[in-house]
Amino acid sequence: MDLGIDGDAALVTAGTAGLGLASAEALARAGCDVAVCGRDEERLADAERRLESAGDGEVLGVSADITEGEEIEGFVGDAVRSFGGLDHVVTSAGGPPSGSFLEMDDEDWYRAYDLLVMSVVRTVRAAHPTLADDGGGTVVCITSRSVREVIDELVLSNAVRRGVIGLMKTLSREFAPAVRANAVLPGAHETGRIEELVEDAVERGDAETYEAGLADWADGIPLERVGDPTELGETVAWLSSERSSYVSGVAVPVDGGSTRSV
Ligand SMILES: NC(=O)c1ccc[n+]([C@@H]2O[C@H](COP(=O)([O-])OP(=O)(O)OC[C@H]3O[C@@H](n4cnc5c(N)ncnc54)[C@H](OP(=O)(O)O)[C@@H]3O)[C@@H](O)[C@H]2O)c1
């Protein structure tokens, strides 16, 4: 399918691995110039190589920590200068630590807020002038199915991510009609983040082995498997594209059917 965004410019925060990288690759395949950021230099260089082979557009990798406001502004500014503007912003992040309510102190809550909510606020604020320039701008926030149904041992994700949904819905009204804003709610996709959560479950004794822990994640998913990150990335590219031109303000689960609420 022609997504109608060939030649557009896109930026993906925390886009050097996992769901962010899968989204950046899908946008590159659709013909976009793509900028990604992350902290680890080696991961950044690998991501640049993968993006260069995914499409014909320009690729920009920037070393930036999305919990630092100035680094986000620097990243957005570099992308705008390199590409001459931005049409699409995708926000991803690292995952907050797993654990229950009584295990979290104030610092944990504030760190999770900076990582998951303020990173989106700061990225969108920096990108807005160029996104709104000539219409057709999009924002897609990668969050989690935890905004619909809380997940045990993930209190920070359950509580803090809901702020992103309120923000996205507000942007879809305040920025219309020049910019559309949407979110995707991943279920379980096989990335480093899931590996980390499975390892935590093994450490806590909730699963005997890594394989058993991964099987637990697939348990209860109607499509009977954990998702491939590409399946999330393709949805992000579609929401960024002309093919979804009348879709704004929605939060789309990409979870193999596991969310029970309507
Ligand atoms: N995978 C899933 O099934 C799933 C399900 C629901 C929700 N999610 C959520 O979706 C988001 C992405 O998950 P993922 O599975 O793609 O994670 P991942 O595979 O661990 O990748 C995380 C990416 O974010 C970057 N990153 C982390 N912290 C950063 C920071 N402070 N500044 C800049 N970049 C940072 C990492 O690079 P560096 O470490 O080099 O910075 C890496 O590129 C997370 O918020 C996760 O909780 C994932």
Side-chain angles (χ1 to χ4, degrees), residues 156-177:
L156 295 174
S157 179
N158 295 337
V160 174
R161 286 187 196 276
R162 286 173 187 231
V164 177
I165 299 303
L167 171 62
M168 174 281 292
K169 195 71 184 168
T170 305
L171 296 177
S172 74
R173 302 184 63 79
E174 290 189 4
F175 287 3

Side-chain angles (χ1 to χ4, degrees), residues 13-22 37-44 47 62-68 71-72 91-96 114-116 119 142-146 151 154 157 161 184-197 217 226-227 229 232 254:
T13 62
T16 57
L19 303 179
L21 178 57
C37 79
R39 296 161 302 173
D40 182 87
E41 296 290 346
E42 211 172 306
R43 201 173 287 142
L44 189 60
V62 175
S63 176
D65 183 337
I66 58 166
T67 62
E68 300 292 334
E71 296 192 24
I72 291 179
T91 61
S92 191
D114 271 347
L115 179 67
L116 300 175
S119 65
I142 300 175
T143 61
S144 168
R145 77 179 177 90
S146 67
I151 302 172
L154 277 179
S157 179
R161 286 187 196 276
V184 288
L185 314 181
H189 294 258
E190 205 170 354
T191 66
R193 170 68 176 157
I194 286 292
E195 281 171 25
E196 198 183 295
L197 293 175
W217 276 87
V226 166
L232 188 290
V254 185

Side-chain angles (χ1 to χ4, degrees), residues 95-217:
S98 59
S100 60
F101 175 70
L102 293 178
E103 292 172 72
M104 301 301 160
D105 60 21
D106 284 6
E107 272 302 298
D108 294 319
W109 282 92
Y110 283 119
R111 264 200 300 270
Y113 191 74
D114 271 347
L115 179 67
L116 300 175
V117 181
M118 286 313 296
S119 65
V120 183
V121 170
R122 290 164 169 159
T123 303
V124 173
R125 193 163 50 206
H128 176 257
T130 170
L131 270 185
D133 241 6
D134 53 0
T138 63
V139 174
V140 180
C141 304
I142 300 175
T143 61
S144 168
R145 77 179 177 90
S146 67
V147 305
R148 286 272 179 87
E149 292 174 352
V150 297
I151 302 172
D152 292 344
E153 294 296 330
L154 277 179
V155 65
L156 295 174
S157 179
N158 295 337
V160 174
R161 286 187 196 276
R162 286 173 187 231
V164 177
I165 299 303
L167 171 62
M168 174 281 292
K169 195 71 184 168
T170 305
L171 296 177
S172 74
R173 302 184 63 79
E174 290 189 4
F175 287 3
V179 178
R180 293 183 294 116
N182 292 292
V184 288
L185 314 181
H189 294 258
E190 205 170 354
T191 66
R193 170 68 176 157
I194 286 292
E195 281 171 25
E196 198 183 295
L197 293 175
V198 171
E199 281 158 11
D200 285 352
V202 173
E203 210 169 291
R204 283 197 307 273
D206 291 349
E208 275 191 17
T209 61
Y210 181 86
E211 289 66 31
L214 191 62
D216 286 347
W217 276 87

Side-chain angles (χ1 to χ4, degrees), residues 66-90:
I66 58 166
T67 62
E68 300 292 334
E70 284 179 8
E71 296 192 24
I72 291 179
E73 282 169 23
F75 171 45
V76 174
D78 286 351
V80 170
R81 272 187 297 281
S82 292
F83 302 155
L86 278 174
D87 305 289
H88 312 290
V89 163
V90 178

